[in-house]
């Protein structure tokens, strides 16, 4: 109906670790709700949680997206107007949701019956798991997410990386701080260039003086 609200599904970050939770996105959710959007701030199993990591972390996001169909039975939500956004590790999972239609039916990450996504906004999102892996910092938790190192789980690393599935054929906006040293612009640029070259409708917005958390 005309009074149905667009819905924004919001995915928190925190290096896929369970020490961080959906409360990170509370203020953003309230702000977007005040602007007239329905917001769906979701939780998911992370690397220290039973069933978290591969594939549960990925499929939990798909289950949350699918649940919007149920929410729409109770609330006036426009199912033609679903936006997915996430920050950092949540940005990775948001972009990966856009790749669901690219997965083979045999994939452990494939979830059927998902509503379509109108657009994705990635806030300092991780785009490539192999290049993001590092022995220390946030990148060190990639091995717990994927169940091994990049050279041990090559196929999983490829399948779990949004960059592998381009073009997504969904409009995307990437937002990054120029001073971000956790997910630097150098990590984002190969994804942006490949998406653009393959014909995706994609914008990169950079914020001067902003780091990872701004």
């Amino acid at each position: 109906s005309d009074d149905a609200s667009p819905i924004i599904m919001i995915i928190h970050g925190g290096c896929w670790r369970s020490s961080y939770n959906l409360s990170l996105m509370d203020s953003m959710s309230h702000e977007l709700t005040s602007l007239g959007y329905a917001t769906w701030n979701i939780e998911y199993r992370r690397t220290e949680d039973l069933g978290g990591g591969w594939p549960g972390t990925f499929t939990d996001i798909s289950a949350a997206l699918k649940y919007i169909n149920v929410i729409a039975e109770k609330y006036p939500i426009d199912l033609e107007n679903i936006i997915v956004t996430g920050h950092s590790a949540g940005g990775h999972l948001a972009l990966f949701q856009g790749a669901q239609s690219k997965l083979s039916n045999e994939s452990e990450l494939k979830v059927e019956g998902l509503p379509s996504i109108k657009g994705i906004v990635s806030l300092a999102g991780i785009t490539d798991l192999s290049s993001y892996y590092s022995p220390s910092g946030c990148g060190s938790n990639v091995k717990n997410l994927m169940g091994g190192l990049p050279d041990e789980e090559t196929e999983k690393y490829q399948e779990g990386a949004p960059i592998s599935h381009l073009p997504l054929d969904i409009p995307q906006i990437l937002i990054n701080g120029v001073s971000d040293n956790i997910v630097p612009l150098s990590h984002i640029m190969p994804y942006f260039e490949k998406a653009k070259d393959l014909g995706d409708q994609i914008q990169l917005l950079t914020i001067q003086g902003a780091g990872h958390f701004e």
Side-chain angles (χ1 to χ4, degrees):
S1 68
D2 293 341
D3 60 353
S5 300
I7 185 165
I8 304 178
M9 183 168 106
I10 300 168
I11 311 169
H12 72 81
C15 303
W16 309 277
R17 292 186 187 279
S18 56
S19 46
Y20 301 94
N21 65 35
L22 80 175
S23 65
L24 287 173
M25 307 306 266
D26 284 353
S27 56
M28 179 175 162
S29 302
H30 291 307
E31 181 71 17
L32 289 167
T33 303
S34 74
L35 295 171
Y37 298 96
T39 53
W40 180 221
N41 184 17
I42 68 163
E43 194 52 278
Y44 53 96
R45 288 171 293 178
R46 284 137 290 152
T47 51
E48 297 88 344
D49 300 327
L50 187 65
W54 177 288
T57 293
F58 293 82
T59 54
D60 282 359
I61 307 301
S62 299
L65 177 64
K66 194 169 180 175
Y67 196 74
I68 292 174
N69 288 323
V70 178
I71 300 172
E73 293 170 11
K74 279 175 66 175
Y75 298 97
I77 285 165
D78 182 359
L79 290 172
E80 302 298 305
N81 211 341
I82 299 172
I83 305 295
V84 179
T85 188
H87 175 249
S88 193
H92 159 249
L93 294 167
L95 291 168
F96 185 79
Q97 271 316 290
Q100 264 287 346
S101 65
K102 307 284 177 172
L103 300 177
S104 78
N105 289 331
E106 287 71 53
S107 169
E108 286 183 271
L109 305 181
K110 182 74 171 176
V111 176
E112 297 293 345
L114 296 175
S116 61
I117 297 171
K118 188 175 184 181
I120 301 168
V121 181
S122 172
L123 308 170
I126 295 156
T127 60
D128 183 346
L129 297 171
S130 300
S131 71
Y132 193 67
Y133 170 74
S134 67
S136 63
C138 189
S140 67
N141 202 39
V142 177
K143 72 175 185 295
N144 296 320
L145 178 72
M146 303 306 284
L149 297 170
D151 55 358
E152 296 164 348
E153 296 289 356
T154 312
E155 286 181 20
K156 282 185 183 177
Y157 271 77
Q158 184 166 4
E159 186 168 18
I163 197 169
S164 306
H165 302 287
L166 291 170
L168 301 188
D169 306 320
I170 296 169
Q172 300 155 66
I173 300 173
L174 313 178
I175 304 178
N176 261 77
V178 173
S179 304
D180 190 335
N181 56 10
I182 295 176
V183 183
L185 272 174
S186 58
H187 176 80
I188 303 298
M189 290 310 295
Y191 181 92
F192 173 65
E193 297 293 350
K194 183 177 179 182
K196 206 168 52 169
D197 290 348
L198 292 174
D200 266 350
Q201 186 184 324
I202 188 166
Q203 301 174 61
L204 173 62
L205 307 177
T206 57
I207 304 172
Q208 292 295 331
H212 189 62
F213 299 103
E214 289 82 6

